[in-house]
Amino acid sequence: MAYDFVVVGAGMFGASFARMAADRGKKVLVVEKAGHIGGMCYTEEENGVIVHKYGPHVFHTNKQVTWDFVNRFAEWRQFMVRTKAILGRTVYTLPFCLSTFYQLWGVTTPAEARRKLDSVKVPIANPSTMEEWALSQLGEEIYRKLVYHYSRKQWGRDPKDMPASILRRLPIRMSFDDNYFTDRWQAVPIGGYTPMFERMLQGIEVRLKCDYFDDRESFDRLGQVVYSGRVDRFHGYTLGRLAFRGCRFERKVFEGDYQGNPVIHDLSPDVSWTRTIEHKHFSNPSAQVSPVTWEYPFECGADDEPLYPVNDPVNDSLYGSYAAIPRKAVFAGRTGSYRYLDMCEVIAQAAKLVDVIC
């Protein structure tokens, strides 16, 4: 049986592209090596609580067309991300805002905060690394307390070896607004992401526990391959392995409320986890049973599930070499593009690709 497209991966990109292509009358096959759809957005319900199995995902966008698209498949609960960070016995507010600066320095007004920041910033004309950006925008104290150790744990590398773009995503506000995002729409799907993906893929053939590489030649003959997996694996690692960070998830269940917030980062160098997630705060804050997840980052091997591309100069250069190799497949998604993409960006990427090749 022939298909217009063979989509490798049933995560946010693969499902979005498959739906959009099918809506244009295209015949689509989705193959997914995991035993479930949804990729890293996969959720399960446990005792009335939606558990984000691979880390918390809050959907946010400013684009009406993207918001309209996801609303076809789910009802949404407004949710704004307000994280906390703990260092020793002190809890700090993230992202950086007046609350953070008050906790550090006792300042209470925007003018006081600006004067203090201006006095501690390190003059660096063109910051290119995480370390340089943090020092130039926030100064030595905040860098050492709130950035350095967490970044070492998250990325497994010194911040001076990582690009500034990673930290530039974090807002710095001269107000008490601690909402992580500024998008018009910020929400989580009622019932979790998995039912949303089920509706998105309705009427489309999906083969689970089906690894594209187990029968690659046959899949290539079936239709145009749209690939959202590892680019280096696609090419047999011939140029070397691209670096990805993965995450081990350890979950425990508690009674009542464990930490009083959905996400708390641990900045201490003495613990190996980066953050704890109390899932009930995303879906059912009054639930008496509370699953909590600890996240332990690690360097991905060839068989590990990649979560975050390590976009340092060495790996970006290697990706460029892979991307230059002629191939018939189309690469996309966070892993296929080797870029950190939010869910809304992945959907926009799928829409753009559909316009080009459908």
Side-chain angles (χ1 to χ4, degrees):
M1 180 182 295
Y3 299 85
D4 293 297
F5 299 105
V6 176
V7 179
V8 181
M12 185 61 81
F13 172 82
S16 297
F17 177 87
R19 180 72 270 153
M20 294 174 189
D23 287 348
R24 297 196 181 192
K26 303 300 182 181
K27 189 170 181 61
V28 182
L29 169 66
V30 178
V31 296
E32 169 58 61
K33 68 178 180 178
H36 60 78
I37 58 176
M40 297 298 102
C41 298
Y42 177 64
T43 57
E44 290 182 349
E45 183 175 338
E46 298 181 8
N47 299 308
V49 175
I50 303 300
V51 174
H52 297 231
K53 302 291 281 191
Y54 301 101
H57 289 80
V58 176
F59 191 86
H60 56 96
T61 184
N62 272 322
K63 292 187 176 181
Q64 182 76 56
V65 65
T66 303
W67 183 238
D68 289 344
F69 177 74
V70 296
N71 271 270
R72 291 172 54 189
F73 314 108
E75 293 184 63
W76 296 82
R77 173 177 179 255
Q78 183 180 2
F79 188 91
M80 294 184 179
V81 178
R82 292 184 166 91
T83 60
K84 303 296 179 184
I86 188 168
L87 180 63
R89 299 295 297 173
T90 304
V91 177
Y92 296 98
T93 298
L94 292 178
F96 303 112
C97 64
L98 268 181
S99 295
T100 321
F101 305 137
Y102 170 76
Q103 291 152 357
L104 285 160
W105 303 318
V107 298
T108 58
T109 68
E112 287 180 308
R114 287 193 189 93
R115 283 195 295 270
K116 180 64 179 179
L117 278 174
D118 287 343
S119 73
V120 300
K121 289 178 182 178
V122 178
I124 301 174
N126 296 298
S128 61
T129 68
M130 288 178 66
E131 178 177 88
E132 289 177 347
W133 188 89
L135 291 173
S136 69
Q137 301 299 310
L138 299 163
E140 180 79 22
E141 181 183 4
I142 292 182
Y143 171 60
R144 292 296 169 188
K145 284 184 176 180
L146 306 187
V147 175
Y148 179 78
H149 294 299
Y150 185 87
S151 297
R152 285 295 301 259
K153 289 193 291 184
Q154 175 69 19
W155 296 104
R157 292 159 175 79
D158 195 291
K160 66 185 177 184
D161 298 321
M162 295 298 293
S165 58
I166 294 173
L167 275 183
R168 283 199 180 104
R169 294 195 296 262
L170 295 177
I172 301 173
R173 299 195 184 107
M174 297 298 113
S175 70
F176 288 103
D177 178 9
D178 60 352
N179 179 14
Y180 195 95
F181 302 113
T182 59
D183 299 272
R184 179 179 177 185
W185 295 286
Q186 304 174 48
V188 291
I190 295 171
Y193 283 96
T194 299
M196 184 187 84
F197 278 94
E198 290 171 348
R199 298 182 192 104
M200 195 181 294
L201 291 167
Q202 190 171 3
I204 297 171
E205 183 179 351
V206 179
R207 300 181 191 177
L208 298 179
K209 297 183 180 179
C210 181
D211 193 329
Y212 164 77
F213 293 99
D214 288 344
D215 198 6
R216 180 173 181 169
E217 291 184 3
S218 295
F219 286 123
D220 287 348
R221 288 194 296 267
L222 288 177
Q224 168 69 63
V225 172
V226 179
Y227 178 84
S228 62
R230 292 183 62 146
V231 176
D232 49 358
R233 187 186 182 197
F234 184 91
H235 291 293
Y237 305 109
T238 52
L239 303 180
R241 286 199 176 101
L242 288 164
F244 287 91
R245 296 292 283 174
C247 204
R248 178 173 66 85
F249 301 95
E250 178 183 300
R251 193 162 74 256
K252 298 179 182 178
V253 179
F254 298 88
E255 296 291 329
D257 201 330
Y258 176 76
Q259 63 185 24
N261 203 63
V263 181
I264 294 185
H265 296 258
D266 198 305
L267 310 178
S268 172
D270 301 325
V271 300
S272 53
W273 64 83
T274 49
R275 61 182 182 177
T276 48
I277 314 301
E278 189 161 20
H279 300 272
K280 74 173 190 174
H281 292 290
F282 293 98
S283 61
N284 186 7
S286 63
Q288 291 304 302
V289 177
S290 187
V292 177
T293 299
W294 282 255
E295 296 188 1
Y296 297 81
F298 63 85
E299 195 77 4
C300 277
D303 298 325
D304 296 315
E305 195 66 47
L307 293 183
Y308 305 104
V310 180
N311 291 118
D312 60 15
V314 172
N315 283 283
D316 281 348
S317 176
L318 178 58
Y319 172 75
S321 298
Y322 272 122
I325 298 174
R327 77 278 183 179
K328 294 181 180 179
V330 177
F331 295 167
R334 180 187 286 192
T335 311
S337 303
Y338 202 67
R339 286 191 294 144
Y340 185 96
L341 297 171
D342 288 324
M343 290 182 283
C344 58
E345 294 173 309
V346 168
I347 293 172
Q349 185 189 56
K352 184 176 180 179
L353 183 59
V354 166
D355 284 340
V356 172
I357 66 176
C358 283

